[in-house]
Amino acid sequence: MSKDIQLQGGQGKAEQQWRALVEQIDRHAQGKTGQMLGGISPIQTTLVYLDWLSHLMASPGKQLDVLKGTLEDVQEATVKLMQPGQHPSNCCDDPRFSSPAWQQWPFHLYAQGFQIMERAWDRATHDVPGLSHKHSDVASFAARQWMDVFSPSNLPWLNPDVIQATREEGGVNLFRGAMNWLDDAHRLAHKQAPAGTEAFEPGVNVAVTPGKVVFRNKLIELIQYSPATDKVHAEPILIVPAWIMKYYILDLSPHNSLVKYLVDQGHTVFMISWKNPTAADRDLGMEDYRVDGVMAAIDAVSKIVPERKIHSVGYCLGGTMLQIAAATMGRDKDDRLATMTLLAAQGDFSEAGELMLFINEAEVNLIEAIMAEQGYLKGSQMAGTFQLLHSNDLIWSRLLKNYMLGLRDKPNDLMAWNADTTRMPYRMHSEYLHKLFLHNELASGRYEVNGQPIWFTDIHVPCFAVGTVTDHVAPWKSVYKLHLLPLDVTFVLTSGGHNAGIVSEPGHPHRSFQIHHRPPEERYVAPERWQANTPHREGSWWPAWENWLVSHSSGLVAPPQMGLPDQKKKLPDAPGEYVHQL
C-alpha cells in the first residue's frame, strides 16, 4: 500500500516537473518572439487581419461603397487640378504637407494621391458588416501605420523640402543625416541617452527644488521640500507620481516645476520617488506598491505633520494607485485624507483609448513571456508602444528632420525626462494588465485588498480631476467617468497631451482650460455636452487648482519640521538617490 502511494507521489512529482518544463519552453519561445517584434503578437495581428478581410470579402455592398468614395475623391481632385491656381492639397490640414513646396507640381499630386489612399483604407476598415468594433479599430490602426511608412513625406526623392535642401547644400544635409544616424545607432547599442539629453541632470538643472529625503524603504524615497514662505497652509500635499516614469516630470526646470509652484504658494509638499526595479524585484506586486509606496508615504507624512489631513495627488498610474489606496482607507475608516487630486489618471479602464488596441489576452501573454525572461518590462519596450500611438510626431517627423534634413531637435527638459525611462516589475505589471486593463476589476467592484473588495463609493473626500484634450494614454472622457459616481468632483479639461497638458505652468503660451464643479447631488452631464457648454479660460489651470486646495485647507501655520522626529539614519538631500538609478 505504502509503495503504491510512493509510486503515485513520484508520478505526480514527475508530471509537475514535466508541466513546468513545457511552460518554461513556451515562455522562452514567446519571450524571444515578443522581444523581436516589440511585444506585438503576430498571431493576434494575423487573426485580426483575417477577420477583417473575410468580412470585407463577404460584403460586396461595402466594397462598392469604398470604391464609390474613392472614385469621388479622385474626381474631386481632378476637377480642382483643372482649375488654374487651385491645388487639392491647399485645403490639407495634414502637417506633413503644410510646407508651401507641397503646393507645387508634381508634389501636390503625391500628397493628394496619398490622402486619397488614406481615406480609402479608412473606409475599408470601418463599418464593415459583422466586424467587431475592437477589430475594426485594430485594422484601422494597422492600416494607418503602414500608410505612414509609405507617405511621400518620408521618401527623400518625393519630399520637396528634402530635395530643395539637398540641392542647396550639395548633399551635405544627407551626410549630416548619416552622421546623426550613426550617432543614434551607437547610443542605442551602448544604451546611452539620446543626443543632447545628457545636458539635463536631476539635481543639477532639473529636479532642483530644495528639499530632503525624509523616509526610505525598499520601494520609495519620500522627499519633503523646504518651505519658501514664513507661513504655510496647514494641510500638507503628498504627490504620488507613476512608477512608469521618474517623478521629476513634476519638478522639471524651476520655471515649469509644479512642485516649486506649490511651495512658492505656501504649501508643504511631499513627493514619492520610486525605486527603478531590477530583476531581483520581479515579485513586487500591486499590493507592495500600495503598502510600501502610498501607505508608507502617508504614514511618514502623518508623523511629520501630525493631526493634519493630507491633500493627496496622483498622476497617471500613480493616480490609479491613489484611488485604490483612498478607497481602501475609506472602507477601513481611515480618514487621514483631506482631498484627492487625479492628474490624467483612470480608475475605469473600459474606454482606455488606443492603448486598448495593444491589450488583449494574446498580447498580455506575450508581454508576460518577455517579463518572465527579464524579470521586468524595460522602459524602451513600453516607449515603443507610445511611439506607435503618435508615429507621425514621434517617429517619422523625427526621421525626416534628423536623417534627411540633417537637423537635430533642440533638447529640452521634457525630452530629457522622457528619455530617462524606468522598468516595471514582472508581477506588478502582470497584475496591472490583468486586473485593470483586461478585467476592469476596480471599476466593477471586484478589486480586492486584504481579501475584501473595494469600490469608488468608499472614497469620501472632495476630488479634483484633470483630463487633457489630446491624451492617448488616459483619454479625458475616461478620466471624466468620475462623474458617474456620487462624489464631489471639480473637473478640468486642459489643452495639451498626457505630459504637456499637466506641465502647464502660468505664462505658458497657447494654454487654455475648462473647469466645472459638480456636487454629488447634481445630475450627470455627458462629456460631449460638458465640453460644449463649459466656458473656456485662457492660461494655466494651476492657479485654479491651487485656489481649490486653499479652499479645502484650514489656514496658515508655521512650517512643520523637516523630517521624521525619530529619524536617526542620515538621508540625502533632494532629489535623492533612487532618481539616479539606471
Side-chain angles (χ1 to χ4, degrees):
M1 183 70 174
S2 60
K3 291 183 178 181
D4 291 340
I5 295 175
Q6 290 177 356
L7 180 61
Q8 291 176 359
Q11 291 175 339
K13 185 176 181 180
E15 180 67 18
Q16 290 177 355
Q17 292 175 339
W18 171 251
R19 292 300 174 193
L21 177 63
V22 168
E23 183 178 347
Q24 184 178 2
I25 293 172
D26 288 343
R27 283 285 192 188
H28 180 74
Q30 292 166 358
K32 295 302 181 185
T33 301
Q35 290 176 12
M36 288 189 296
L37 299 178
I40 304 298
S41 169
I43 298 174
Q44 182 66 19
T45 304
T46 302
L47 290 175
V48 170
Y49 169 74
L50 293 174
D51 187 30
W52 163 75
L53 183 63
S54 59
H55 279 93
L56 182 63
M57 291 298 98
S59 306
K62 178 62 179 178
Q63 297 174 42
L64 286 173
D65 181 61
V66 172
L67 179 61
K68 174 178 175 292
T70 304
L71 291 176
E72 288 174 348
D73 284 347
V74 172
Q75 182 181 22
E76 180 184 358
T78 304
V79 170
K80 288 185 177 181
L81 279 172
M82 303 300 292
Q83 299 175 4
Q86 287 288 328
H87 297 316
S89 55
N90 282 349
C91 59
C92 167
D93 59 358
D94 191 328
R96 290 174 291 186
F97 308 120
S98 60
S99 167
W102 282 104
Q103 314 307 323
Q104 305 303 315
W105 189 91
F107 303 109
H108 63 282
L109 295 180
Y110 304 154
Q112 188 64 17
F114 174 75
Q115 291 176 323
I116 290 173
M117 288 301 298
E118 270 194 323
R119 290 193 290 270
W121 276 103
D122 187 66
R123 294 188 190 97
T125 54
H126 283 102
D127 301 321
V128 179
L131 184 66
S132 70
H133 181 71
K134 175 71 176 289
H135 280 190
S136 175
D137 287 343
V138 174
S140 177
F141 179 83
R144 291 200 309 272
Q145 299 306 310
W146 278 109
M147 288 298 296
D148 287 344
V149 171
F150 299 106
S151 168
S153 63
N154 298 329
L155 304 176
W157 57 89
L158 297 181
N159 188 315
D161 296 321
V162 176
I163 294 172
Q164 182 179 351
T166 304
R167 185 186 301 118
E168 292 176 352
E169 299 186 45
V172 175
N173 59 303
L174 298 178
F175 175 78
R176 287 198 311 270
M179 293 299 100
N180 289 342
W181 183 88
L182 287 173
D183 180 50
D184 289 345
H186 175 81
R187 289 171 177 273
L188 184 64
H190 291 82
K191 299 180 180 179
Q192 296 176 355
T197 59
E198 62 271 9
F200 297 89
E201 183 180 348
V204 178
N205 49 7
V206 292
V208 294
T209 304
K212 289 187 65 67
V213 174
V214 296
F215 173 79
R216 176 193 286 161
N217 63 19
K218 65 179 183 180
L219 195 56
I220 70 167
E221 287 182 332
L222 181 67
I223 300 171
Q224 180 183 358
Y225 292 95
S226 303
T229 55
D230 293 334
K231 296 287 186 178
V232 296
H233 297 283
E235 286 72 22
I237 297 172
L238 170 63
I239 302 178
V240 184
W243 50 93
I244 198 174
M245 57 178 78
K246 296 285 181 74
Y247 84 86
Y248 65 92
I249 176 68
L250 301 175
D251 186 25
L252 287 171
S253 302
H255 74 278
N256 60 0
S257 166
L258 179 61
V259 169
K260 184 178 185 302
Y261 175 79
L262 291 170
V263 171
D264 288 347
Q265 303 306 310
H267 293 278
T268 299
V269 179
F270 293 83
M271 173 74 76
I272 289 177
S273 176
W274 300 98
K275 178 185 179 182
N276 196 2
T278 64
D281 303 304
R282 63 185 296 131
D283 292 325
L284 289 175
M286 290 285 286
E287 184 66 358
D288 293 298
Y289 277 80
R290 184 188 72 85
V291 174
D292 294 324
V294 179
M295 297 311 301
I298 290 175
D299 290 342
V301 173
S302 296
K303 291 179 180 179
I304 295 171
V305 192
E307 300 180 4
R308 298 291 184 183
K309 294 190 176 184
I310 301 167
H311 293 304
S312 58
V313 183
Y315 182 20
C316 186
L317 178 53
T320 301
M321 179 53 71
L322 178 59
Q323 292 176 74
I324 292 172
T328 304
M329 293 173 71
R331 183 198 66 185
D332 297 342
K333 310 301 181 184
D334 184 340
D335 64 350
R336 285 180 289 171
L337 298 185
T339 65
M340 180 175 70
T341 296
L342 303 174
L343 309 178
Q346 300 175 96
D348 186 332
F349 289 79
S350 58
E351 297 180 84
E354 289 189 324
L355 272 180
M356 292 301 293
L357 299 176
F358 302 94
I359 305 297
N360 52 62
E361 292 288 354
E363 299 289 354
V364 169
N365 185 66
L366 203 65
I367 293 172
E368 288 183 323
I370 295 173
M371 294 190 296
E373 289 281 306
Q374 303 170 166
Y376 51 78
L377 189 67
K378 296 178 183 178
S380 58
Q381 291 167 327
M382 290 182 284
T385 299
F386 294 127
Q387 288 177 338
L388 282 177
L389 296 178
H390 298 273
S391 59
N392 281 337
D393 296 328
L394 300 181
I395 299 177
W396 302 116
S397 65
R398 291 185 179 179
L399 292 180
L400 170 64
K401 185 174 183 179
N402 284 275
Y403 305 147
M404 299 183 202
L405 297 177
L407 304 174
R408 279 295 197 190
D409 290 315
K410 184 179 179 180
N412 57 44
D413 50 11
L414 189 59
M415 290 172 56
W417 164 83
N418 194 53
D420 193 5
T421 58
T422 59
R423 295 174 288 272
M424 303 279 268
Y426 174 24
R427 179 182 172 189
M428 186 288 304
H429 198 48
S430 177
E431 292 175 347
Y432 173 58
L433 293 175
H434 279 283
K435 293 185 177 183
L436 299 180
F437 269 99
L438 282 180
H439 304 305
N440 203 23
E441 290 184 7
L442 183 57
S444 58
R446 293 180 291 113
Y447 191 98
E448 293 189 355
V449 176
N450 297 330
Q452 296 294 325
I454 59 171
W455 201 50
F456 299 116
T457 51
D458 293 321
I459 300 174
H460 305 294
V461 296
C463 299
F464 191 100
V466 180
T468 65
V469 174
T470 58
D471 197 332
H472 292 269
V473 178
W476 76 267
K477 291 181 181 178
S478 182
V479 178
Y480 184 87
K481 287 178 178 288
L482 275 175
H483 287 81
L484 295 170
L485 304 169
L487 299 175
D488 184 293
V489 178
T490 299
F491 186 77
V492 164
L493 179 61
T494 181
S495 56
H498 188 71
N499 297 323
I502 301 302
V503 184
S504 182
E505 72 280 2
H508 194 296
H510 314 301
R511 286 289 187 257
S512 63
F513 67 98
Q514 298 167 272
I515 184 170
H516 177 73
H517 171 237
R518 199 289 308 270
E521 65 273 8
E522 187 174 294
R523 66 185 180 85
Y524 174 76
V525 175
E528 296 82 4
R529 185 177 176 186
W530 186 98
Q531 185 180 28
N533 295 339
T534 304
H536 283 262
R537 299 187 189 182
E538 294 301 317
S540 168
W541 59 269
W542 289 9
W545 176 48
E546 198 273 330
N547 289 335
W548 181 85
L549 289 172
V550 171
S551 71
H552 291 85
S553 299
S554 58
L556 297 175
V557 297
Q561 64 182 3
M562 292 291 295
L564 291 165
D566 56 350
Q567 180 67 47
K568 296 180 181 179
K569 183 178 180 181
K570 183 175 176 57
L571 294 173
D573 292 336
E577 297 176 358
Y578 283 2
V579 73
H580 294 293
Q581 292 176 332
L582 299 178

